Amino acid sequence: MPRFFMSSLITLLGILYGCSLVSTISPSFSQSIMKFSDKDITNYAQIVLKIEDQRQIAYQKIEEITEGLPQEISCDQSYTLKQLPNQAQTIAVKFCNLSKKIAQDSGLSSNKFNSITEKAQKDTTLRKRIQNAMIRARLP
């Protein structure tokens, strides 16, 4: 597995954490879910890929407006959006809202989605499961 893909996955998980459907996850809930089913991971991977496709489109548009890579943008940190020119802010907000809608429409509960995102940031085994599910989802 190329190292770039792994770092991209970690970056994407960080972005998704910023696009969480719920601002915080109760500690008891996130600690109570230690294992995720293969179906949950496959569903999560498909969501991540859909969101990543939209993120690339949004970033490309924002790059054109800002004439280069924008600084870090996080959906849950409004100051990162406010630093952008108005037209780029609109694109970023649309991306954040679309990301939430993609996740909500997936059938995976917001608590489970957020829990997987949070746990994947710390758990290399879970990240590998997500990576493998993403690879399988991209295969013809």
Side-chain angles (χ1 to χ4, degrees), residues 12-77:
L12 182 58
L13 291 174
I15 291 168
L16 290 178
Y17 190 70
C19 293
S20 293
L21 301 176
V22 178
S23 298
T24 58
I25 302 170
S26 73
S28 61
F29 180 81
S30 62
Q31 290 171 1
S32 68
I33 295 185
M34 300 306 278
K35 305 262 182 196
F36 300 104
S37 71
D38 288 340
K39 182 178 177 182
D40 290 339
I41 297 303
T42 298
N43 197 4
Y44 181 86
Q46 291 170 343
I47 295 166
V48 168
L49 290 171
K50 287 177 187 175
I51 290 172
E52 175 59 12
D53 290 344
Q54 295 305 312
R55 186 197 66 78
Q56 288 179 8
I57 292 166
Y59 259 63
Q60 183 178 11
K61 290 177 182 178
I62 291 170
E63 278 181 309
E64 291 170 8
I65 294 167
T66 61
E67 298 178 358
L69 283 175
Q71 294 178 354
E72 184 178 339
I73 300 170
S74 181
C75 294
D76 70 335
Q77 298 174 355

Side-chain angles (χ1 to χ4, degrees), residues 1-13 16 37-38 40-49 116 120-121 123-139:
M1 180 63 50
R3 187 175 187 165
F4 172 75
F5 186 80
M6 185 61 165
S7 65
S8 296
L9 175 62
I10 293 168
T11 300
L12 182 58
L13 291 174
L16 290 178
S37 71
D38 288 340
D40 290 339
I41 297 303
T42 298
N43 197 4
Y44 181 86
Q46 291 170 343
I47 295 166
V48 168
L49 290 171
I116 293 171
Q121 292 177 329
D123 184 337
T124 57
T125 302
L126 181 57
R127 278 197 305 267
K128 287 178 185 178
R129 285 180 68 198
I130 294 168
Q131 260 185 312
N132 290 335
M134 290 170 75
I135 292 167
R136 284 190 303 275
R138 290 286 194 199
L139 292 176

